[in-house]
């Protein structure tokens, strides 16, 4: 049996402290503190001796105690919606980026039974120093009110607010790329299933209409009200199937909506892309799960997440900095769900479907 009282490090089996590290390294506790906080005052040789002593003793800094002593939590609160795959992609990057800058991350989700206000208040009650809101639905005045209480960064806010940072994709360019792609393939009947009042929906809808008009197709533009869900895509697909002739292409409000469209068309025996082309938006990880690889507009989740964390940390460490907006370029990712139009599917009076090629 080992007699802890005789251990050379003097810890006697307890958790090593900063004083133990100082004693083992032959320096003062204050100097050890400077090294751990990466502050000037210790030479490189001394710094290495302290770090080696800490490693030898198995010393782990008491993060919670340090935060209490400094009156800072160094925690970023992230509000997200559970069922949005693109937001999951963002969180996947937010964690390591925050940790790289010395911050922890706390998540709080919205759900049908839990609105944004509850999700945000939970984060604030846990002493989060800054908030990162993923796709907030709140109006500008509510976001500004929140911006008075804490440092706030939004990703794809539905409305512009002056007291928060915002990171977004240039949806005008994204929808233009989608329309250009389909028109270049030869499509002229392009329907847009929008996202209703979801964040980003209004901008994408208006951009679609402008892009159609720029191609001289303004009179053929058509918007079906939807949402950023698979169910909205399924409902829209059934509505289109009930009509006499299908459009040759559909631009979905996001990838989830596009997956709903794909499912119903597949069940109805409508071939994608031979009978109808489909374009999504986001390039979230679910876009790779479709039976037909989804053509989509890629939002750079990695860059959006990194910018959001950076903006939040910069304002925490420099209170004089004014809120900023970062706008990132989207990119069309062409896959298997789009092709030149070959046929239109017509419903005959007998309710039997026949191919009308043109």
């Amino acid at each position: 049996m080992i007699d802890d009282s005789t251990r050379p490090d003097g810890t006697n089996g307890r958790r090593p402290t900063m004083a133990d590290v100082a004693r083992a390294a032959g320096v003062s506790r204050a100097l050890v503190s400077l090294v751990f906080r990466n502050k000037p005052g210790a030479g490189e040789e001394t710094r290495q001796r302290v770090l080696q002593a800490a490693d030898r003793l198995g010393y782990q800094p008491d993060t919670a105690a340090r935060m209490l002593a400094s009156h800072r939590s160094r925690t970023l609160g992230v509000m997200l919606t559970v069922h949005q795959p693109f937001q999951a992609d963002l969180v996947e990057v937010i964690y390591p980026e925050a940790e790289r800058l010395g911050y922890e991350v706390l998540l709080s989700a919205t759900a049908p039974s839990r609105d944004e206000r509850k999700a945000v208040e939970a984060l604030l009650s846990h002493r989060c120093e800054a908030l990162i809101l993923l796709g907030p639905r709140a109006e500008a005045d509510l976001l500004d009110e929140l911006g008075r209480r804490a440092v706030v960064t939004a990703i794809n806010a539905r409305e512009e607010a002056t007291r928060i940072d915002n990171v977004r994709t240039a949806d005008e360019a994204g929808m233009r790329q989608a329309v250009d792609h389909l028109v270049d393939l030869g499509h002229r009947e392009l329907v847009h299933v929008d996202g209703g009042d979801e964040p980003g929906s209004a901008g994408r809808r208006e951009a679609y209409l402008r892009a159609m008009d720029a191609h001289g197709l303004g009179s053929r533009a058509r918007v079906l009200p939807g949402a950023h869900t698979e169910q909205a895509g399924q409902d829209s697909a059934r509505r289109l199937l009930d009509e006499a002739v299908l459009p040759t292409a559909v631009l979905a409000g996001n990838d989830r909506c596009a997956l709903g469209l794909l499912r119903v068309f597949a069940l109805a025996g409508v071939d994608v892309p031979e009978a109808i082309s489909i374009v999504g938006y986001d390039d979230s990880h679910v876009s790779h799960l479709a039976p037909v690889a989804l053509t989509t507009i890629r939002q750079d989740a990695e860059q959006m997440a990194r910018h959001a964390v950076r903006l939040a940390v910069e304002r925490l460490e420099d209170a004089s900095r004014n809120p900023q907006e970062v706008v990132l370029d989207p990119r069309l990712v062409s896959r298997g769900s789009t092709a030149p139009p070959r046929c239109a599917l017509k419903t005959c009076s007998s309710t039997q479907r026949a191919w009308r090629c043109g």
Side-chain angles (χ1 to χ4, degrees):
M1 181 180 293
I2 296 174
D3 181 1
D4 287 334
S5 65
T6 63
R7 287 183 58 167
D9 60 26
T11 61
N12 298 329
R14 57 180 168 74
R15 179 177 177 177
T17 66
M18 197 179 295
D20 294 323
V21 175
R23 184 164 50 251
V27 298
S28 69
R29 186 184 181 284
L31 195 58
V32 171
S33 177
L34 290 176
V35 171
F36 288 150
R37 288 183 292 130
N38 201 26
K39 298 291 186 181
E44 183 58 27
E45 182 182 348
T46 301
R47 181 175 176 278
Q48 290 301 321
R49 193 163 74 249
V50 168
L51 293 176
Q52 288 169 10
D55 185 60
R56 190 167 62 252
L57 295 175
Y59 172 77
Q60 294 292 328
D62 189 339
T63 304
R66 188 170 71 249
M67 297 312 156
L68 286 172
S70 66
H71 304 291
R72 292 194 60 184
S73 69
R74 295 191 73 86
T75 301
L76 307 179
V78 178
M79 184 199 78
L80 73 158
T81 302
V82 173
H83 298 300
Q84 289 295 350
F86 183 69
Q87 294 187 13
D89 294 345
L90 291 168
V91 170
E92 201 169 295
V93 181
I94 286 173
Y95 267 112
E97 185 65 12
E99 290 171 3
R100 186 181 71 82
L101 296 174
Y103 286 79
E104 299 291 334
V105 173
L106 184 66
L107 302 180
S108 184
T110 64
S113 60
R114 192 170 192 253
D115 61 20
E116 289 188 353
R117 187 178 292 275
K118 286 184 179 179
V120 165
E121 291 300 333
L123 293 172
L124 293 175
S125 70
H126 283 84
R127 298 184 65 240
C128 292
E129 289 192 85
L131 304 179
I132 298 177
L133 312 179
L134 308 186
R137 299 168 60 92
E139 296 184 0
D141 58 342
L142 293 177
L143 291 174
D144 280 334
E145 177 187 329
L146 184 59
R148 294 185 182 93
R149 300 173 59 192
V151 170
V152 179
T153 299
I155 295 182
N156 287 337
R158 187 174 67 170
E159 295 191 17
E160 293 184 8
T162 60
R163 290 182 174 270
I164 69 170
D165 292 297
N166 189 36
V167 181
R168 66 178 179 86
T169 296
D171 286 329
E172 175 86 18
M175 291 301 285
R176 185 173 64 248
Q177 288 178 34
V179 172
D180 288 351
H181 171 67
L182 291 169
V183 170
D184 288 346
L185 288 173
H187 294 275
R188 297 297 180 268
E189 303 298 330
L190 288 64
V191 171
H192 174 46
V193 179
D194 75 4
D197 63 352
E198 302 276 3
S201 176
R204 293 174 195 177
R205 180 171 56 246
E206 293 164 6
Y208 157 77
L209 294 172
R210 282 192 288 269
M212 288 290 283
D213 191 57
H215 283 285
L217 300 173
S219 62
R220 299 189 184 189
R222 182 184 178 195
V223 177
L224 295 183
H228 288 168
T229 64
E230 292 87 348
Q231 187 61 53
Q234 293 181 66
D235 292 343
S236 296
R238 294 189 186 100
R239 178 174 174 179
L240 292 171
L241 287 169
D242 285 339
E243 298 178 356
V245 179
L246 280 174
T248 64
V250 180
L251 282 70
N254 73 342
D255 290 345
R256 289 181 65 194
C257 179
L259 292 180
L261 288 159
L262 280 167
R263 181 176 186 276
V264 170
F265 286 140
L267 291 174
V270 177
D271 185 83
V272 176
E274 183 177 344
I276 190 167
S277 288
I278 297 177
V279 178
Y281 204 107
D282 285 342
D283 196 26
S284 60
H285 64 270
V286 299
S287 66
H288 308 280
L289 305 178
V292 178
L294 184 64
T295 294
T296 185
I297 299 298
R298 183 174 189 267
Q299 298 197 83
D300 193 332
E302 181 174 348
Q303 288 302 313
M304 295 182 89
R306 289 181 186 225
H307 278 296
V309 173
R310 175 184 62 80
L311 290 172
V313 170
E314 282 181 358
R315 288 187 63 206
L316 284 174
E317 298 181 359
D318 180 6
S320 65
R321 184 179 73 68
N322 292 323
Q324 299 175 3
E325 181 176 59
V326 174
V327 182
L328 301 177
D329 292 328
R331 178 170 63 86
L332 175 80
V333 180
S334 180
R335 298 193 181 104
S337 66
T338 53
R342 296 176 189 149
C343 296
L345 193 59
K346 183 177 182 181
T347 303
C348 304
S349 57
S350 63
T351 71
Q352 297 296 316
R353 298 193 183 280
W355 292 106
R356 185 192 69 190
C357 299

